[in-house]
Every structure is written in C-alpha cells, then in structure tokens.
Amino acid sequence: MIFSFGGYPTRATVAVKTGGKRDVTQSHKIWLISKTTYVPTPVYHDGHIYFVNDQGFAYCIHGSTGEIVYEERLPGLSGGRGRGGRPVYASAVAAGGNYYATTRQAETHVIAMKPEFKLIATNQIATDRSQFNAKPALANDEIVLRSDTHLNVFAR
C-alpha cells in the first residue's frame, strides 16, 4: 500500500506491507520519501506512482523502491488563485495510458503514464475563469470538469 501524507508537520509518501499485528511501524515500512502531495491523490499504474503535487510538479516514483524517476514542473503555473501558491488541488484521473491533472486555473495537463516525462497536451478553458478544485470525471470518450461555477464537458 502507498500512503501520501501532505499535511504538516509530516510531508511524506510511504509504502507499507499490509497485514501484521500490533506495532508494525518499522517491520512493514518498505520505503519512505519526502516528495508528496498536499491534496491530490496519486495514481498507480504498471509499477509506478504518478501525481502532480499541489505546487505543480509532476512526479513518477518507482512503486517498489521509492526511487524518483522524474520530477518536472508543469509549464505556465504561477501559483493558485486563493490558497497562496497551490495551483493544483484536484486529484488526477487515468485513462488510455495517460493521466489528466487539472489545475485551479482551468488547465488540464495530459501526461503519459510512462517512466519518462512526456507532456501530451495542455488544454485551457478560456470561458470559465472560476477555480477548478474537483477531480475530473471520465465517461465514454468525454472528460467532465467541474469548476466553482460551471460544469464543462469535452471530448477527449
């Protein structure tokens, strides 16, 4: 199991073995790293953990070792509206070998779920200037993005 603790004072991602009894703090810890996400939930795919943290960095972490495969700043992020510099609040979703990370500024970054960073596309919703805090939803060949004021549906 992988846990990501984004709150203070503990900011860490840890992998632990399941099962056991009593205090398994040391015996079941597989690895622990300081790279994490404050709110967005990571996605696990093909032995790797993918997430975009609240500060706009995309990560790929090797699931069995905790090795950081890549750490890349997404383009064009300059801090979130409100929340002082946290441009990403929503969890990503995965489909078709990609994961979709939506920023608070109405951008959706499509990133390949591969152990090398590849940004497929960045899509901006120019007509909705409110904040985007919700996780995208996928249905059929559409992506649904909810902002504070609108529900936006697009073909993906």
Side-chain angles (χ1 to χ4, degrees), residues 103 113 132:
T103 70
M113 286 192 296
F132 284 68

Side-chain angles (χ1 to χ4, degrees), residues 56-149:
F57 286 89
Y59 287 91
C60 174
I61 298 169
H62 195 281
S64 61
T65 66
E67 171 193 0
I68 298 169
V69 178
Y70 67 71
E71 175 183 15
E72 297 285 337
R73 175 84 164 154
L74 292 177
L77 298 181
S78 60
R81 286 185 241 158
R83 298 277 180 195
R86 297 189 190 278
V88 180
Y89 202 72
S91 296
V93 293
N98 298 319
Y99 69 105
Y100 298 77
T102 300
T103 70
R104 300 182 91 191
Q105 298 97 359
E107 297 172 331
T108 299
H109 298 273
V110 184
I111 304 164
M113 286 192 296
K114 297 184 178 201
E116 62 275 339
F117 180 74
K118 182 176 181 188
L119 181 63
I120 306 293
T122 298
N123 301 299
Q124 174 82 39
I125 300 174
T127 57
D128 187 348
R129 300 312 305 157
S130 64
Q131 290 193 70
F132 284 68
N133 295 310
K135 177 178 183 173
L138 303 175
N140 302 317
D141 289 331
E142 296 176 323
I143 185 168
V144 180
L145 301 168
R146 183 176 61 82
S147 73
D148 288 351
T149 60

